[in-house]
């Protein structure tokens, strides 16, 4: 830089031209004549100035240059090594800097390198003063930007002044040659700052005005992806930016624009909107392709099969994309012939490839109804021939609910045993009292409904109804023992011979009622009972201990009361009341 600074200073302080005088031992008249003739053939040159010359010879080390003076100058061949035009040759015209008219050997002192430096400094000052463009080469990356060589003079290119769009790879710029404009020179340090961005901005501004004046909806343009956001793509149209909204990228469904494009990718777009006030341009990509719903009825006629990808799952079904821009709904009821699906997520997953049947096409509202189960024949038709009414089968308890038990007859085929069809004789409050999950259970088909896809099963129907027999055995007045199986607030449930349940109201356990039923009676206690009501239709038997003891001996009564005490006084009272009365009066 010191040499550069001194040369720059010399540019501003170049001395006035001086004529060269030659002295010899001749008489003054002859000398004057000779000088006149000689100087007429020479160029007028002066020191500290750039002069033009012609190469007359080239050696291994030096280049000899004739500048039109009485002697020739010699320049080191090394000063020509950076010539971009190629290798120098004899006869080439060059510019050199005249440092001295003569050295001790009488030769001109010339410098090609100094001439180049002065010329580039002239261009540098012209660039900052007149906004002219200067060419340079990026030589390396430094903190905050790049170093640029302006024909040997180094300058700084800030990262923010490289391009109008963000630079993503600074290292890729090293070695590139481009145009610059000098934007700053430090007068003290002579540091130079250049910009490529200001040139682009001027070009973009001119092109922007031209584009805004001519832009029309429907125009197809070429651009470059400048930025990618969640809601769309910003496209550089070469002076004007436009936005492709995510819904206008493709006819198909995407989660993010980066699934389709990448930064700096060249793309074609169509103008779909232009706001004169804000100068905003709306662009589209999918509009360059035909709408996928055109001729859909020909591509996917109703009843035909199509492969697709699950793109969305809702509570009521799954949306399947059969091609970009064409989605259809598989309702939860159209997923399986046999499985009871509570949520579509149990049956399909996002991204899953599935085969569907076209059920209905609503072209006006771009709605498509699909079915997955109809890809195969309805298995319920074949099942109806297997599970005919009154046929017996074995299955596995797959689920237990308050109202009954689901029994899996085979893979994907379930039937329901209602709680009322579990037992002829038991009073079941919940099915889990009788069966457990995964238990094997014998069942009879009560009803097979193909349309509703339901099979009604019974477990108790495996055996004949015992209530015809019970009608005789447990007629009103019949006496029978019963074992307490359950104690409830209103009385006790007893198991009678024949494994049938009966009910004894609390008022029929002891005369006057029971003060504390749990302290007087316990599960598995055997009670002597008499039937006081038999309801075959509702499968109900009601019994009474009080009625049983009305014609029994005092000893039997006392034994019963001792086994089921209330209180001593109450026992005595109960005994007196329960004593059999003599026939015919007191």
């Amino acid at each position: 830089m010191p040499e550069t600074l001194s040369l720059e200073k010399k540019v501003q302080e170049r001395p006035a031209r001086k004529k060269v005088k030659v002295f010899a031992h001749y008489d003054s008249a002859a000398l004057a004549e000779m000088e006149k003739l000689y100087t007429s053939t020479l160029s007028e040159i002066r020191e500290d100035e750039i002069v033009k010359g012609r190469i007359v010879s080239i050696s291994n080390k030096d280049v000899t240059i004739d500048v039109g003076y009485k002697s020739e100058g010699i320049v080191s061949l090394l000063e020509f090594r950076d010539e971009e035009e190629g290798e120098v040759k004899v006869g080439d015209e060059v510019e050199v800097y005249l440092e001295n008219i003569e050295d001790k050997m009488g030769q001109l002192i010339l410098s090609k390198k100094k001439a180049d430096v002065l010329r580039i400094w002239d261009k540098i000052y012209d660039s900052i003063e007149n906004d002219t463009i200067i060419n340079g080469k990026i030589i390396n990356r430094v903190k905050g930007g790049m170093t640029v060589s302006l024909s040997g003079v180094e300058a700084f290119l800030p990262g923010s002044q490289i391009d109008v769009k963000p630079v993503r790879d600074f290292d890729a710029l090293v070695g590139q040659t481009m145009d610059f404009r000098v934007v700053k020179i430090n007068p003290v340090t002579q540091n130079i700052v250049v910009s490529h961005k200001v040139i682009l901005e001027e070009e973009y501004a001119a092109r922007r005005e031209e584009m805004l004046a001519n832009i029309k909806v429907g125009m197809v343009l070429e651009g470059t992806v400048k930025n990618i956001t969640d809601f769309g793509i910003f496209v550089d149209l070469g002076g004007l930016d436009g936005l492709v909204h995510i819904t206008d990228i493709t006819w198909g469904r995407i989660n993010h624009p980066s699934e389709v494009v990448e930064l700096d990718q060249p793309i074609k777009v169509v103008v779909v909107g232009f706001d004169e006030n804000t100068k905003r341009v709306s662009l589209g990509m999918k509009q360059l392709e035909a709408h996928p719903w055109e001729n859909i009825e020909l591509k996917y006629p109703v009843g035909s099969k199509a492969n697709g990808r699950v793109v969305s799952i809702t509570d009521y079904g799954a949306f399947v994309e059969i091609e970009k821009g064409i989605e259809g709904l598989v309702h939860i009821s159209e997923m399986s012939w046999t499985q009871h699906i509570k949520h579509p997520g149990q049956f399909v997953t996002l991204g899953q490839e599935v085969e569907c049947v076209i059920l209905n096409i609503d072209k006006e509202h771009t709605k498509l109804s699909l079915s997955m189960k109809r890809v195969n024949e309805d298995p319920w038709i074949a099942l109806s021939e297997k599970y005919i009414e009154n046929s017996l089968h074995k299955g596995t308890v797959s689920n237990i609910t308050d109202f009954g038990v689901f029994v899996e007859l085979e893979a994907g085929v379930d039937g329901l045993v209602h709680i009322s069809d579990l037992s002829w004789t038991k009073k079941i409050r919940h099915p889990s009292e009788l069966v457990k999950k995964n238990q094997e259970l014998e069942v009879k088909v009560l009803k097979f409904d193909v349309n509703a896809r339901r099979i009604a099963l019974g477990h108790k129907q495996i055996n004949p109804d015992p209530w015809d027999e019970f009608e005789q055995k447990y007629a009103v007045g019949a006496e029978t023992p019963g074992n307490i199986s359950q104690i409830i607030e209103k009385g006790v449930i007893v198991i009678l011979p024949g494994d049938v349940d009966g009910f004894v109201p609390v008022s029929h356990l002891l005369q006057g009622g029971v003060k504390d039923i749990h302290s007087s009676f316990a599960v598995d206690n055997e009670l002597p009972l008499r039937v006081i009501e038999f309801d075959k239709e509702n499968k109900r038997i009601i019994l009474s201990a009080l009625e049983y003891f009305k014609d029994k001996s005092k000893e039997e009564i006392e034994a019963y009361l001792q086994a089921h005490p209330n209180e001593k006084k109450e026992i005595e009272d109960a005994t007196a009341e329960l004593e059999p009365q003599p026939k015919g009066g007191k």
Side-chain angles (χ1 to χ4, degrees):
M1 187 60 81
E3 179 182 50
T4 302
L5 294 177
S6 61
L7 285 173
E8 191 276 330
K9 193 172 182 181
K10 289 179 180 180
V11 172
Q12 300 175 2
E13 300 175 358
R14 291 178 182 172
R17 186 189 302 271
K18 65 178 180 179
K19 294 185 178 180
V20 180
K21 296 182 179 180
V22 181
F23 300 94
H25 298 290
Y26 300 102
D27 60 77
S28 59
L31 184 61
E33 184 64 25
M34 287 179 64
E35 183 179 2
K36 183 179 180 181
L37 292 171
Y38 185 69
T39 54
S40 65
T41 64
L42 299 177
S43 300
E44 290 189 6
I45 60 176
R46 57 185 177 183
E47 293 178 351
D48 298 323
E49 190 175 72
I50 295 175
V51 297
K52 287 186 178 180
R54 189 174 300 278
I55 298 175
V56 295
S57 66
I58 301 173
S59 68
N60 292 333
K61 295 182 179 180
D62 301 315
V63 176
T64 304
I65 299 174
D66 177 13
V67 296
Y69 192 57
K70 63 179 181 178
S71 61
E72 297 167 342
I74 295 176
V75 178
S76 173
L77 185 60
L78 295 174
E79 295 192 31
F80 289 85
R81 289 290 166 85
D82 294 333
E83 285 294 305
E84 295 182 358
E85 293 81 4
E87 189 175 341
V88 294
K89 57 186 181 295
V90 174
D92 285 351
E93 188 178 80
V94 296
E95 286 188 339
V96 290
Y97 180 74
L98 178 58
E99 293 189 76
N100 207 325
I101 296 293
E102 290 181 351
D103 62 4
K104 294 179 181 179
M105 303 298 293
Q107 290 184 320
L108 293 169
I109 306 302
L110 305 175
S111 173
K112 171 69 167 60
K113 185 176 181 180
K114 291 181 180 180
D116 292 341
V117 171
L118 287 173
R119 282 297 185 212
I120 190 60
W121 272 100
D122 286 342
K123 292 180 180 180
I124 290 169
Y125 277 101
D126 185 57
S127 178
I128 196 169
E129 291 171 3
N130 301 311
D131 292 332
T132 56
I133 293 173
I134 187 170
N135 191 261
K137 183 177 182 180
I138 298 176
I139 54 177
N140 64 281
R141 182 178 178 180
V142 294
K143 184 178 180 180
M146 315 293 289
T147 299
V148 175
S149 173
L150 304 174
S151 298
V153 177
E154 289 190 0
F156 176 62
L157 173 63
S160 61
Q161 294 299 312
I162 297 174
D163 207 331
V164 290
K165 56 180 179 288
V167 178
R168 279 173 275 277
D169 187 1
F170 284 85
D171 293 330
L173 297 173
V174 175
Q176 289 191 25
T177 299
M178 59 180 67
D179 292 334
F180 301 99
R181 184 172 290 158
V182 179
V183 294
K184 184 179 180 181
I185 299 177
N186 190 311
V188 179
T189 62
Q190 294 293 300
N191 288 334
I192 306 166
V193 179
V194 296
S195 172
H196 179 64
K197 180 180 178 180
V198 293
I199 300 173
L200 295 177
E201 286 177 336
E202 290 177 359
E203 294 175 357
Y204 273 46
R207 273 185 279 181
R208 174 183 171 83
E209 293 303 319
E210 182 182 352
M211 292 186 72
L212 288 174
N214 298 296
I215 198 165
K216 293 180 181 178
V217 173
M219 289 180 66
V220 177
L221 305 170
E222 292 186 357
T224 305
V225 177
K226 183 177 182 179
N227 192 21
I228 301 175
T229 68
D230 292 338
F231 57 84
I233 304 166
F234 285 97
V235 180
D236 179 4
L237 301 171
L240 184 65
D241 288 350
L243 172 66
V244 181
H245 193 269
I246 188 171
T247 57
D248 288 314
I249 294 174
T250 176
W251 290 112
R253 185 193 294 245
I254 58 173
N255 296 316
H256 196 273
S258 58
E259 297 174 21
V260 180
V261 298
E262 57 186 24
L263 290 171
D264 300 325
Q265 177 183 334
I267 58 173
K268 280 188 176 182
V269 292
V270 61
V271 179
V272 297
F274 175 61
D275 191 321
E276 290 280 356
N277 297 322
T278 62
K279 307 299 181 186
R280 289 182 180 176
V281 182
S282 299
L283 306 171
M285 292 172 62
K286 72 180 185 182
Q287 288 81 359
L288 294 171
E289 303 173 357
H291 195 291
W293 279 76
E294 290 182 13
N295 302 318
I296 186 174
E297 66 279 1
L298 300 178
K299 291 190 291 183
Y300 302 105
V302 172
S304 64
K305 295 180 180 180
N307 292 317
R309 178 175 61 92
V310 178
V311 293
S312 179
I313 298 175
T314 67
D315 292 338
Y316 53 85
F319 286 91
V320 176
E321 182 184 62
I322 58 176
E323 72 170 63
K324 285 185 178 180
I326 301 180
E327 292 179 11
L329 173 65
V330 180
H331 192 268
I332 190 171
S333 62
E334 290 294 332
M335 288 186 169
S336 175
W337 289 114
T338 57
Q339 294 186 40
H340 298 288
I341 304 169
K342 294 182 178 179
H343 191 277
Q346 297 175 299
F347 196 73
V348 294
T349 57
L350 284 175
Q352 180 181 343
E353 296 289 334
V354 296
E355 188 177 16
C356 304
V357 170
I358 312 297
L359 295 183
N360 183 53
I361 299 172
D362 184 349
K363 194 171 181 180
E364 182 181 354
H365 300 97
T366 61
K367 290 182 178 180
L368 192 64
S369 298
L370 305 173
S371 172
M372 291 172 62
K373 71 182 185 182
R374 296 176 195 272
V375 171
N376 301 308
E377 291 184 4
D378 186 352
W380 283 82
I381 296 174
L383 290 172
S384 65
E385 298 176 358
K386 181 178 179 180
Y387 298 103
I388 58 176
E389 290 186 13
N390 297 318
S391 61
L392 300 177
H393 303 274
K394 285 185 178 180
T396 303
V397 176
S398 60
N399 193 22
I400 299 175
T401 68
D402 293 338
F403 55 84
V405 177
F406 285 97
V407 178
E408 186 178 52
L409 300 172
E410 60 181 80
V413 181
D414 287 348
L416 174 66
V417 180
H418 193 269
I419 188 172
S420 61
D421 289 314
L422 284 171
S423 175
W424 288 114
T425 59
K426 299 293 182 185
K427 299 296 181 183
I428 304 169
R429 292 184 300 169
H430 193 276
S432 59
E433 297 173 11
L434 190 67
V435 296
K436 304 299 178 185
K437 197 170 182 180
N438 298 322
Q439 174 186 335
E440 187 177 73
L441 196 69
E442 288 186 278
V443 293
K444 177 184 277 190
V445 178
L446 303 181
K447 185 177 181 181
F448 191 99
D449 191 334
V450 175
N451 296 324
R453 268 48 180 182
R454 290 177 183 172
I455 306 175
L457 303 172
H459 174 62
K460 70 183 185 182
Q461 288 83 356
I462 294 172
N463 300 308
D465 187 350
W467 285 85
D468 290 336
E469 179 185 340
F470 293 157
E471 189 175 16
Q472 300 299 323
K473 187 175 181 179
Y474 297 111
V476 174
E479 295 181 353
T480 179
N483 288 77
I484 297 176
S485 62
Q486 193 174 348
I487 298 174
I488 60 178
E489 185 180 354
K490 294 182 179 182
V492 296
I493 296 172
V494 294
I495 301 176
L496 306 176
D499 200 29
V500 61
D501 286 351
F503 177 64
V504 183
V506 68
S507 60
H508 282 266
L509 288 170
L510 291 171
Q511 188 68 32
V514 181
K515 185 175 182 180
D516 184 0
I517 192 170
H518 287 283
S519 64
S520 299
F521 297 90
V523 173
D524 291 334
N525 285 169
E526 183 178 291
L527 304 179
L529 302 166
R530 178 174 290 167
V531 178
I532 59 174
E533 182 181 338
F534 182 88
D535 187 343
K536 180 180 178 181
E537 184 178 347
N538 294 302
K539 307 294 189 286
R540 184 170 60 204
I541 303 174
I542 299 177
L543 306 105
S544 171
L546 294 182
E547 291 295 324
Y548 174 83
F549 283 107
K550 275 190 175 180
D551 56 359
K552 299 299 183 288
S553 67
K554 183 177 180 180
E555 289 76 16
E556 289 179 286
I557 295 171
E558 286 181 349
Y560 175 75
L561 293 175
Q562 288 292 335
H564 309 288
N566 231 358
E567 285 185 1
K568 280 188 177 182
K569 185 177 184 305
E570 291 180 356
I571 292 173
E572 292 173 357
D573 293 341
T575 303
E577 291 178 6
L578 285 173
E579 272 187 33
Q581 301 295 322
K583 295 181 180 179
K586 293 183 181 178

